[in-house]
Amino acid sequence: MSDPVWIPEVLRAEGLTVREWPGWRDRGHGDFGNIWGVVAHHTGNNPPSNNPGYIANHPILGLASQLHLSREGVYTVLGAGVAWHAGEGGYPGIPTNNANQVTIGIEAENNGTEGWSPDQYWSYYAGVAAILRHLGQPAGHVIGHKEWAGAAQGKWDPGSMDMNGFRADVARQITHGGDTGMTRDEMKALVYECLEVYVGPIGSDVKDIREQLCGAGSRDSGEYAGWPQLGKNTSGSDRTAVDALGAILDQLPGAQA
Ligand SMILES: [Zn+2]
């Protein structure tokens, strides 16, 4: 195993949008050996520390994560070598205080309390799934920085993210996400097409029924227009089908409620 120069190709194959920061192939603190998995972070909300260029060339840390993920769900590849993102900590399967040597760091632009937009969250777990699938590792090989360094450094990122739920989404994506041969936009279009096919005629039928019961013009106006051929009800407006049925019942001996 060597440096993960395959990241852009693997992410794009998952349907993700990827930008490449100039010089990324040669940026990092030395080469990778075996890669265990991924550590997930959030950037915090203080410019410039939430920008890709700052994470690529951090004034103290140098390359501070291999990937940046924008709020819109766009990845930027910042470096292919080892990055200084994890710091001290521990987790089963990872050398103590040495996660940087065996993990890819993702810094997602987020303040940790704002929540995760659907686009950013989908891109987050789909990107992690693509990386782990390529590495031949299961969903258990992504951890939050808070799970690595919580005790050692008091880290809480990524905030507002349930890591077990995240891993479940990653697991599903590892199994099913890569075999559709479709981008996310193509999947969206397919879903909308299905909704149109299945919901469209039903919606139209419901409107037809409303018009039959409540009168011409009720279909789209939402008003109970009634039918002139059914006569007038006591308020002087055209009877609906139910008004007319009631009027008929009134005329039948012994049928009154
Ligand atoms: Zn972090």
Side-chain angles (χ1 to χ4, degrees), residues 41 107 145 157:
H41 305 260
E107 283 283 358
H145 198 193
D157 62 318

Side-chain angles (χ1 to χ4, degrees), residues 204-238:
S204 178
D205 288 349
V206 167
K207 285 184 165 184
D208 285 348
I209 293 165
R210 182 187 180 95
E211 181 162 278
Q212 286 299 311
L213 288 173
C214 302
S218 306
R219 190 174 198 276
D220 296 310
S221 71
E223 300 294 323
Y224 298 102
W227 291 101
Q229 59 268 51
L230 296 177
K232 304 283 185 190
N233 61 29
T234 51
S235 66
S237 53
D238 291 335

Side-chain angles (χ1 to χ4, degrees), residues 39-42 85-86 106-107 145-146 155 157-158:
V39 177
H41 305 260
H42 72 240
H85 60 92
I106 302 178
E107 283 283 358
H145 198 193
K146 57 191 174 187
K155 292 287 184 182
D157 62 318

Side-chain angles (χ1 to χ4, degrees), residues 149-174:
Q153 299 181 63
K155 292 287 184 182
W156 59 285
D157 62 318
S160 308
M161 187 177 285
D162 166 15
M163 293 311 300
N164 288 330
F166 183 77
R167 279 185 283 268
D169 290 328
V170 169
R172 204 177 50 251
Q173 182 76 12
I174 288 176

